[in-house]
Amino acid sequence: SAQISGPLLGGGEASIDDLQGKVVLVVFWSSEAKPFQSQLPGVLATVRKHSSKGLSVLGVNLDKESAAANQFVLQHRITWPQIFFPEPERRGWDNPVANFYGITDLPTFWLIDRDGRVVSTQVTATDGLAVAAAVSAGGATAARGAARAGGPRVGTAVSPGGSGGGPTRRAGGGRGGLAGGDHGGELGGV
């Protein structure tokens, strides 16, 4: 099971363990990542649609400045908790959670089932809703079947310095961990 925990943007602590028994969408993001900005409306719609069925969300923010993250959260009315480390040396690509799991692209969406097992590290527009619906209705077995039925998962990550869109991919890649391959996903299309 995933071990995701840390300090919250507004104070306090969060842990994936606090959400045991719920389906959890983990969102690794930065306010500067243009792909996240463009995918956010779909993410918000998906969360609205599936939250009554037991979907929870936990954000892992990779901004360098808390003010930028706070402003983005308020501006876009993001209601889920955001892990954000107060120490400057643990922000951005130095975020311990992102480093531990080898996150190299933003955004990255993970889906975790009610038992705390990672069902997908590459949730995309083509399989994200099917997985969320399957996990909400039928548990881990149905979710894995829906993920396989979705076919290949093609990410939308772009390289840094693209069209002035801020950091979306870590230079040099990650250190491995659970997340392998292309992690730039999109979630939407309700």
Side-chain angles (χ1 to χ4, degrees):
S1 70
Q3 298 299 312
I4 300 172
S5 63
L8 290 173
L9 188 57
E13 294 275 326
S15 172
I16 196 82
D17 294 340
D18 299 337
L19 301 172
Q20 188 75 24
K22 296 182 179 238
V23 177
V24 182
L25 179 67
V26 180
V27 180
F28 294 88
W29 69 283
S30 164
S31 65
E32 296 178 351
K34 292 290 185 193
F36 178 70
Q37 294 173 16
S38 66
Q39 294 170 34
L40 184 58
V43 173
L44 293 170
T46 297
V47 171
R48 277 193 304 273
K49 182 174 182 175
H50 294 286
S51 63
S52 64
K53 299 173 189 164
L55 178 68
S56 293
V57 184
L58 180 60
V60 180
N61 180 271
L62 274 69
D63 277 310
K64 282 288 202 182
E65 301 298 327
S66 61
N70 268 318
Q71 181 179 355
F72 192 89
V73 165
L74 292 172
Q75 178 183 352
H76 296 280
R77 298 186 175 123
I78 297 172
T79 58
W80 55 83
Q82 304 296 330
I83 292 176
F84 183 87
F85 288 85
E87 306 89 352
E89 67 275 7
R90 298 179 82 190
R91 297 180 184 172
W93 290 115
D94 295 319
N95 178 300
V97 177
N99 268 327
F100 183 79
Y101 287 110
I103 301 300
T104 58
D105 296 317
L106 298 179
T108 292
F109 301 103
W110 284 13
L111 196 63
I112 299 175
D113 72 11
R114 286 185 165 89
D115 298 322
R117 290 182 297 243
V118 177
V119 176
S120 176
T121 60
Q122 300 179 4
V123 180
T124 67
T126 58
D127 68 0
L129 298 180
V131 172
V135 173
S136 294
T141 303
R144 282 191 288 276
R148 280 193 298 274
R153 294 170 187 85
V154 180
T156 58
V158 295
S159 55
S163 53
T168 57
R169 177 167 286 171
R170 181 187 185 124
R175 294 188 344 217
L178 280 179
D182 184 8
H183 313 293
E186 42 179 289
L187 186 67
V190 179

